Amino acid sequence: MESTNNITEFILLGLSQNKKIKTLCFPLFLFCYISILGGNMFILISITYSQLVQQPMYFFLNYLALSDLCYTSTVTPKFLSDLIIERNIISYTSCMLQLFTMHFFGGIEILILTAMAYDRYVAICKPLHYTIIMSRGRCQAMVTACCAGAFIHSFFQNLLAISLPFCGHNEMDHYFCDIYPLLTLACTNTSRVGLLVVANTGMMGLVTFLVLMWSYSFILYTIRAYPAESRRKALSTCSSHVTVVILFFVPVLFIYIRPATTYPEDKVFALFYTILAPMFNPLIYTLRNTEMKNALRKVWCHKLFLFKRESYDIYC
C-alpha cells in the first residue's frame, strides 16, 4: 500500500467534549492513576524484598506489576493532561510511538498472564515435578519469550499503521492512538488492513483467552479429588487469576476480535484494560491471597521497625 501522508498531528476528541464531564473525570482518573502507581509499586517492593521472589508465581507477578505500570503510563498521563487542556493534539510521531508502546506492554501483560496460568497448571497438576519444570532459568526464559512475542506483535501492528495514508480528516474519536480509530482516518480502503489487525491482535487475544480458560478449567477438574484445605487454597489462587483475566480480556476481545469498525462504546471498554484492570490487579492479588498478605506484613512491618529504630538512634 502506498503511504502518502499529509497529516502531521491528530486531534484526540477524548471521552467527552463536555467541559463539566471533563472536570469531573480529571480527579477520578487522577486517583485511579495514583492508585495504579502506588499499588503496583507496593507489590514490586513487597515481592522483591521478601522470600516470595524465589517462587515462580510471584516472580511472574512481579513482572505483571511492572508491565501494568509501563502499560498504563503509555496512555494515562496524556489522557489526564487532555482532560484539562482545551485542544488535545498529538503529533503523528507521538501517536505511532504510543501505539507501539501500548501494544508492546499490553502484549507482555497478556503473555505473562499465560505464563502464570501455566505455572498454576504445573503446581496443581504436576506437583512432584514442579521445581524441575518451573526452575528459575526456565521462568526467566519464559519472561524473555513474553517480551519477544510482544515486540513482534507490536512491530507488525505499527507496520500496518505506518503504511496507512492520511490526507484529510485528523480528528480521532478516542482518548489515545489506537489502530481502529486510525483506520477510520485513512484515505484508502482499509478492509484488508482491518483483517490483518484482527489476525494480529484479535486472534492473539482470543487464542490466549481460550488457552487460559482451558487451563483453569483443567485445574478445577483436577482438584476435585484433593482434600478440602488443598482445594480451598488452589481455588483461592486460581480465582484471583481468573478475575484478572476476565477483567482484562473481555473488553479487549470486544474491541479487537470484530471487523475494523469503531463504536462510541469503545472508549468506555478501553478504560477497563488501560486503567481499571491495572488498578484492580494489586487489590485482587493481595486481598485474595493469604501468602501475599503475610509477606506484605513481614516486609512492611520490618521496614517500619527499622525506620523507627533509625529515628530513635538519630534522636538519641
Side-chain angles (χ1 to χ4, degrees), residues 63 67 103-113 146-147 150 204:
Y63 280 99
S67 65
H103 280 270
F104 174 62
F105 291 117
I108 290 176
E109 180 158 353
I110 285 173
L111 296 173
I112 288 287
L113 287 170
C146 289
C147 294
M204 174 189 176

Side-chain angles (χ1 to χ4, degrees), residues 83-315:
L83 287 174
I84 55 176
I85 296 174
E86 187 70 27
R87 188 171 168 82
N88 309 326
I89 295 172
I90 185 169
S91 68
Y92 176 85
T93 304
S94 297
C95 181
M96 294 300 116
L97 180 62
Q98 186 182 61
L99 178 67
F100 177 84
T101 53
M102 192 196 77
H103 280 270
F104 174 62
F105 291 117
I108 290 176
E109 180 158 353
I110 285 173
L111 296 173
I112 288 287
L113 287 170
T114 309
M116 292 174 75
Y118 178 70
D119 170 71
R120 289 300 85 202
Y121 163 76
V122 175
I124 293 169
C125 301
K126 299 183 179 181
L128 298 178
H129 302 95
Y130 180 70
T131 54
I132 298 172
I133 296 174
M134 299 304 296
S135 63
R136 179 47 58 97
R138 184 161 294 181
C139 289
Q140 289 171 341
M142 289 171 72
V143 170
T144 303
C146 289
C147 294
F151 179 84
I152 293 169
H153 156 71
S154 191
F155 175 79
F156 281 108
Q157 190 86 316
N158 251 55
L159 206 61
L160 293 173
I162 291 170
S163 70
L164 294 172
F166 301 102
C167 48
H169 186 58
N170 70 336
E171 289 188 347
M172 192 182 302
D173 189 18
H174 217 303
Y175 62 90
F176 64 89
C177 280
D178 204 4
I179 188 67
Y180 278 173
L182 285 170
L183 289 179
T184 63
L185 300 181
C187 49
T188 187
N189 187 332
T190 59
S191 55
R192 188 175 298 177
V193 177
L195 288 175
L196 292 173
V197 171
V198 172
N200 182 37
T201 304
M203 291 309 297
M204 174 189 176
L206 180 62
V207 170
T208 307
F209 180 71
L210 292 176
V211 168
L212 288 168
M213 289 297 100
W214 175 85
S215 65
Y216 286 119
S217 298
F218 191 79
I219 288 170
L220 291 174
Y221 177 80
T222 303
I223 65 174
R224 290 183 311 158
Y226 281 29
E229 181 61 27
S230 298
R231 270 204 316 272
R232 187 197 61 78
K233 187 176 180 181
L235 283 171
S236 176
T237 303
C238 291
S239 63
S240 301
H241 292 202
V242 172
T243 304
V244 170
V245 166
I246 291 173
L247 189 63
F248 187 84
F249 274 90
V250 170
V252 165
L253 292 176
F254 173 81
I255 291 176
Y256 293 110
I257 200 62
R258 65 173 191 250
T261 52
T262 57
Y263 300 107
E265 296 82 7
D266 288 354
K267 293 184 284 186
V268 178
F269 276 90
L271 288 173
F272 279 90
Y273 59 83
T274 56
I275 297 176
L276 297 180
M279 182 178 72
F280 284 118
N281 281 0
L283 291 173
I284 292 167
Y285 279 113
T286 53
L287 296 180
R288 296 181 62 87
N289 191 319
T290 304
E291 198 172 24
M292 187 70 185
K293 285 189 283 189
N294 291 336
L296 292 177
R297 289 192 195 99
K298 288 179 182 178
V299 170
W300 293 101
C301 288
H302 180 65
K303 286 186 175 294
L304 184 61
F305 172 76
L306 289 177
F307 175 76
K308 286 183 176 179
R309 186 174 178 179
E310 287 174 4
S311 300
Y312 176 77
D313 290 341
I314 292 170
Y315 179 76

